[in-house]
Amino acid sequence: MAYQRVEIGPEQIAAQEAVCARLRAHFTAEGKTPLALVDTYGCQQNESDSERVRGYLAEMGFGFTQDEFAADIVVINTCAVREHAEMRVLGNVGALGHSKKAKPEQIICVCGCMVQQPHMADKLKHSYPIVNLVFGPHELWRFPELLERTLAGKKRVFAVTPGDGNIAEGAPRQRDGWPKAWLSVMYGCNNFCSYCVVPYVRGRERSRRPEDVVAEARSLVAAGYKDITLLGQNVNSYGKDLGAQTDFADLLRMVNAIPGKFRIRFMTSHPKDATEKLLRAMAECEKCTHHLHLPVQAGNDRVLREMNRGYTAAQYLEKVALARRYMPDLVLTTDIIVGFPGETDAEFDDTLRLVEQVGYDAMFTFLYSPRVGTRAASMPDPMTRQEKQRNFDRLLEVANRISAEKHASYVGRTLEVLVDGPSREAGMLSSRTMNGRLVHLPGGEDLIGQFVDVKITGSNTWALRGELVK
Ligand code: 5AD
Ligand code: SF4
């Protein structure tokens, strides 16, 4: 797949920042502090993109709010992976009619993967007149310019040109997850799994230069971040488009070599490209968490072939066994799709068997959702929604039982955790073990950002409970 690398240079970003300065004068006239609401759907890459939107908005002088009635600008960063997420977005965009009525000058922007699909951009154009600006993932770097155009003209702005995507370095970013940080290492996907819309909306695989990734990681460590997640749709393809001098395993070692106490995680690994070299690097890098998110999607070979996944169930299991040889304490998580077109009950049973055999620590399970333009959307799909739901419920039961058993085996152990924020329960903190398990513990917020030892005292399906060891 020939991809012509498109780099957005520092001078182009500087031009956007000059627009930010002009807009700042406009928005902060008469000493006002304008407010923005940025709402994010979907994956971590979207979270990371929203940090860039917020970075630009902050340069324009905006503060942030969760209240749509207080917001001068609303930006909704959307997801297209399943219909459910799209329905939620459309419902919430529609509901903004109320705030727009109360505040007619409010600017409503919708961006991200959903709008990169032409039929969805059309829908917003024709059925959602309250939306002022629509832009796809490839246009994010020039959000200020698009916003300025929206403000200047009478017409609504739609910037959703098709394309393979670009790499923009140096755009401002407002992070909000300390002590955790997202660090994109690559964008896009070339795999074209037959059910998936991502390659259509996020473009071709393109890797950031290793020196740019390492420089960003260094600055995160210097700024006190303790938990860095390297992001990519398929990190195991990292570097292929750069001539493969540095692959993902090499990159992991480079980030691991940065001095300081912090943890490194990464998402997502495609099983077909998870190499022994990567597993060895994970095992040997002392900062790398022993957690592998290895989406299997299905346990039946015919279904895997139809999904265009590029591995058989046996090959997947071999990879899991190899990973566990390198890391006996490995935490394994996965994604599974139930009800892929044509999947029979017997084929689904193969998924259940594989799940039992692997024993995942946690699973993300999804009912298949047809996506416009994908190959699977035109495959015969005779199973009823009810039958699919029944299989889904069976899978969830098995998944929950296994997770609960795995979690129960932690009780009594003492582990180091990183406290990463308050938990929803008053007086409780949320933290993560080295291999990524969630631990709730009582304690003051002064512990946030610290590594502490906890004794695990209880567990359930989703989390552990612990107490500080003095
Ligand atoms: N329907 C249901 N689930 C999907 N995923 C991707 N596309 C679809 C779809 N069309 C799931 C996969 C992927 C996760 C991010 O979302 O399991 O790994
Ligand atoms: Fe979608 Fe497959 Fe790419 Fe993951 S690897 S983003 S499931 S096409």
Side-chain angles (χ1 to χ4, degrees):
M1 227 164 295
Y3 167 70
Q4 201 60 42
R5 189 177 173 91
V6 179
E7 294 190 19
I8 308 299
E11 62 299 331
Q12 284 165 288
I13 297 296
Q16 295 301 317
E17 295 190 289
V19 178
C20 289
R22 284 204 293 277
L23 290 177
R24 187 184 187 104
H26 166 83
F27 284 117
T28 60
E30 297 153 28
K32 276 190 303 193
T33 301
L35 291 175
L37 188 164
V38 180
D39 197 9
T40 312
Y41 293 76
C43 65
Q44 292 90 348
Q45 186 57 55
N46 254 21
E47 295 286 347
S48 170
D49 285 351
S50 287
E51 291 180 347
R52 284 169 64 193
V53 171
R54 271 193 233 107
Y56 277 137
L57 287 167
E59 290 204 355
M60 294 173 205
F62 279 87
F64 295 93
T65 177
Q66 290 300 321
D67 174 8
E68 69 266 30
F69 287 93
D72 300 283
I73 287 195
V74 179
V75 182
I76 301 196
N77 190 4
T78 64
C79 171
V81 168
R82 283 171 295 275
E83 189 187 16
H84 179 68
E86 294 188 330
M87 290 300 138
R88 275 177 53 219
V89 165
L90 292 177
N92 287 345
V93 173
L96 289 173
H98 300 296
S99 55
K100 184 104 172 184
K101 200 163 187 180
K103 207 172 180 168
E105 72 288 0
Q106 183 175 61
I107 299 162
I108 299 178
C109 314
V110 186
C111 64
C113 293
M114 185 184 97
V115 307
Q116 188 64 27
Q117 306 169 99
H119 71 283
M120 276 298 175
D122 276 355
K123 196 178 188 100
L124 288 168
K125 189 176 261 171
H126 297 119
S127 309
Y128 293 82
I130 58 167
V131 174
N132 304 91
L133 167 62
V134 169
F135 60 100
H138 308 328
E139 322 286 340
L140 180 64
W141 68 274
R142 59 190 193 108
F143 166 56
E145 168 198 337
L146 296 170
L147 184 59
E148 189 176 50
R149 234 167 66 203
T150 308
L151 288 167
K154 300 231 172 336
K155 288 219 307 234
R156 304 154 74 203
V157 173
F158 283 77
V160 275
T161 37
D164 289 343
N166 49 50
I167 295 210
E169 292 293 346
R173 181 183 286 278
Q174 174 144 323
R175 297 181 184 274
D176 61 359
W178 182 84
K180 297 191 281 189
W182 309 120
L183 202 178
S184 295
V185 303
M186 61 183 303
Y187 309 98
C189 181
N190 286 357
N191 286 316
F192 289 93
C193 299
S194 63
Y195 50 81
C196 186
V197 77
V198 168
Y200 300 90
V201 292
R202 286 239 172 227
R204 298 289 63 74
E205 282 173 0
R206 49 215 190 268
S207 308
R208 294 179 67 194
R209 293 181 198 289
E211 56 272 27
D212 291 333
V213 173
V214 172
E216 188 171 343
R218 267 184 198 289
S219 71
L220 288 171
V221 173
Y225 287 89
K226 307 280 186 228
D227 182 314
I228 298 176
T229 303
L230 307 178
L231 285 182
Q233 227 62 242
N234 175 17
V235 291
N236 300 336
S237 296
Y238 177 81
K240 284 185 185 166
D241 57 313
L242 290 174
Q245 270 127 356
T246 306
D247 65 14
F248 187 65
D250 301 326
L251 188 70
L252 208 52
R253 288 185 192 273
M254 290 161 79
V255 177
N256 188 68
I258 298 171
K261 180 151 169 98
F262 64 98
R263 288 175 178 174
I264 309 166
R265 337 169 166 275
F266 59 90
M267 296 198 76
T268 289
S269 289
H270 195 303
K272 80 175 161 53
D273 307 314
T275 59
E276 183 159 4
K277 182 178 171 191
L278 170 69
L279 300 172
R280 193 179 315 122
M282 279 179 81
E284 289 174 4
C285 288
E286 76 286 356
K287 291 169 184 145
C288 184
T289 58
H290 290 182
H291 169 207
L292 200 54
H293 183 62
L294 204 60
V296 68
Q297 312 296 1
N300 173 271
D301 287 345
R302 189 197 68 82
V303 175
L304 286 169
R305 204 165 46 243
E306 287 299 308
M307 287 178 161
N308 192 31
R309 288 294 288 175
Y311 53 84
T312 62
Q315 285 166 336
Y316 181 90
L317 290 169
E318 269 168 37
K319 252 208 202 144
V320 167
L322 187 64
R324 284 183 165 151
R325 270 207 295 285
Y326 275 100
M327 293 164 282
D329 61 341
L330 182 71
V331 159
L332 255 177
T333 57
T334 202
D335 293 342
I336 291 186
I337 296 177
V338 178
F340 181 80
E343 182 183 60
T344 64
D345 282 335
E347 288 169 338
F348 173 73
D349 286 343
D350 287 341
T351 299
L352 283 183
R353 261 191 291 279
L354 180 136
V355 163
E356 292 276 8
Q357 209 170 334
V358 173
Y360 291 103
D361 294 82
M363 292 170 45
F364 301 88
T365 51
F366 308 103
L367 267 181
Y368 169 72
S369 169
R371 305 285 69 208
V372 172
T374 59
R375 206 155 58 71
S378 57
M379 292 179 184
D381 191 3
M383 201 184 264
T384 64
R385 168 76 198 232
Q386 245 175 348
E387 290 167 322
K388 291 185 181 188
Q389 187 66 48
R390 202 192 50 221
N391 284 343
F392 184 89
D393 294 343
R394 284 169 67 203
L395 178 62
L396 207 58
E397 214 181 289
V398 173
N400 288 347
R401 172 176 49 76
I402 297 173
S403 293
E405 282 167 12
K406 293 251 167 192
H407 275 164
S409 72
Y410 283 81
V411 175
R413 290 170 63 189
T414 296
L415 299 163
E416 186 188 60
V417 298
L418 170 63
V419 181
D420 54 27
S423 127
R424 260 181 243 150
E425 209 180 317
M428 297 291 283
L429 298 168
S430 111
S431 69
R432 294 270 171 184
T433 66
M434 180 62 177
N435 57 15
R437 298 298 75 206
L438 176 63
V439 183
H440 295 297
L441 70 152
E445 296 199 0
D446 53 313
L447 290 177
I448 296 172
Q450 290 193 33
F451 290 94
V452 294
D453 287 334
V454 295
K455 176 153 195 215
I456 306 299
T457 53
S459 75
N460 63 26
T461 309
W462 298 278
L464 307 172
R465 213 170 227 280
E467 277 167 11
L468 268 181
V469 177
K470 294 279 188 285

